[in-house]
Amino acid sequence: MEYILSPSILAADFGKLAEQIKITEENGAKYLHLDVMDGAFVPSISFGMPVIKSLRKYSGQVFDVHLMIESPERYLEDFKAAGADIITVHAEATKHLHRTVTRIKELGLKAGVSLNPATPLSAIELVLSEVDMVLIMSVNPGFGGQKFIPFTLDKIRKLREMSPDIDIEVDGGVNKDNVAELVKAGANVLVAGTAVFGGDIAENTKLMIERMHEE
Ligand code: DX5
Ligand code: ZN
């Protein structure tokens, strides 16, 4: 199993995005997590296709696009054109999850499905064999810098039992102090916003990756 850090630019300085993501890439972060919010599925609004398209020129990382938007199936082609490599949709946000996942795969991209903390694993059980990655939200989506919700650890464990090979990504409140237990529970892709961009980005990136591999 490959262990990957996916820094979330939500916590970066938006005036220095290209410069800051370069630091994460140079220090070993293979993915870049891009949080798209629409002010409807989640309370806040972040950024969309134009920002992702601009950043594509400055990074060779895998673009891990997390769509926190209603009816994400409307924009799959657009996010592909902007440079997405992985598109993750919320099971709660799309009426026909199987169709949406199938469409992402048809576009030649990796498909991820995300679950809010209160949504049980049963919501994705039947599409699990079709998806490349499951994103377990460990905070209620919408903002960076929130506190990790501990009961989500059990969800990660159960999902790992259900599927030994799938990529399990965890998002929200991930930091250097909980990396070890997340990896132990079965997560292999960790998203970190504040824990990477708050302070020394190079040091933070290196430390998070080091801790992921210690387990
Ligand atoms: C939350 C977003 C996260 C967020 C994580 O809705 O999906 O990706 O940026 O931020 P931290 O790591 O600061 O909790
Ligand atoms: Zn996210």
Side-chain angles (χ1 to χ4, degrees):
M1 180 116 318
E2 201 185 352
Y3 294 98
I4 297 159
L5 179 69
S6 192
S8 164
I9 67 163
L10 208 56
D13 179 342
F14 276 50
K16 298 181 185 161
L17 270 183
E19 196 182 306
Q20 296 198 341
I21 64 174
K22 192 97 218 124
I23 302 173
T24 69
E25 185 173 15
E26 282 168 0
N27 286 283
K30 295 200 176 114
Y31 284 13
L32 190 70
H33 190 79
L34 300 147
D35 286 306
V36 179
M37 303 179 182
D38 66 351
F41 180 68
V42 289
S44 194
I45 297 175
S46 57
F47 54 82
M49 292 73 97
V51 170
I52 296 173
K53 194 172 174 209
S54 297
L55 291 179
R56 192 67 282 187
K57 299 194 286 276
Y58 301 100
S59 168
Q61 288 157 304
V62 170
F63 274 18
D64 169 28
V65 176
H66 178 194
L67 296 182
M68 285 165 275
I69 65 177
E70 288 291 351
S71 305
E73 61 278 2
R74 294 173 295 164
Y75 299 108
L76 303 176
E77 286 78 4
D78 294 324
F79 282 105
K80 181 189 171 162
D85 297 297
I86 305 171
I87 294 184
T88 296
V89 297
H90 270 261
E92 305 88 352
T94 183
K95 282 201 180 106
H96 305 284
L97 181 59
H98 178 259
R99 179 184 289 148
T100 305
V101 165
T102 306
R103 186 70 195 130
I104 298 172
K105 305 279 288 183
E106 277 170 5
L107 290 170
L109 304 176
K110 282 198 172 183
V113 176
S114 183
L115 296 175
N116 285 338
T119 307
L121 290 171
S122 58
I124 52 160
E125 206 181 323
L126 299 177
V127 294
L128 210 51
S129 58
E130 318 281 325
V131 308
D132 299 288
M133 184 167 85
V134 177
L135 199 185
I136 300 289
M137 286 306 304
S138 43
V139 299
N140 290 294
F143 306 97
Q146 302 183 78
K147 209 166 155 288
F148 183 86
I149 301 172
F151 74 70
T152 57
L153 267 170
D154 207 37
K155 210 163 156 183
I156 299 165
R157 275 185 218 112
K158 289 205 178 99
L159 177 60
R160 184 49 80 208
E161 275 171 30
M162 284 163 73
S163 182
D165 301 319
I166 205 161
D167 283 326
I168 302 182
E169 181 173 47
V170 183
D171 185 6
V174 175
N175 59 50
K176 60 179 173 36
D177 299 319
N178 58 18
V179 172
E181 56 180 343
L182 286 166
V183 169
K184 206 165 157 220
N188 69 304
V189 183
L190 296 187
V191 176
T194 316
V196 167
F197 292 100
D200 186 325
I201 300 168
E203 283 309 311
N204 291 341
T205 304
K206 276 191 278 195
L207 183 63
M208 291 291 287
I209 294 172
E210 216 173 272
R211 296 244 163 132
M212 286 188 87
H213 290 89
E214 270 168 13
E215 257 314 295

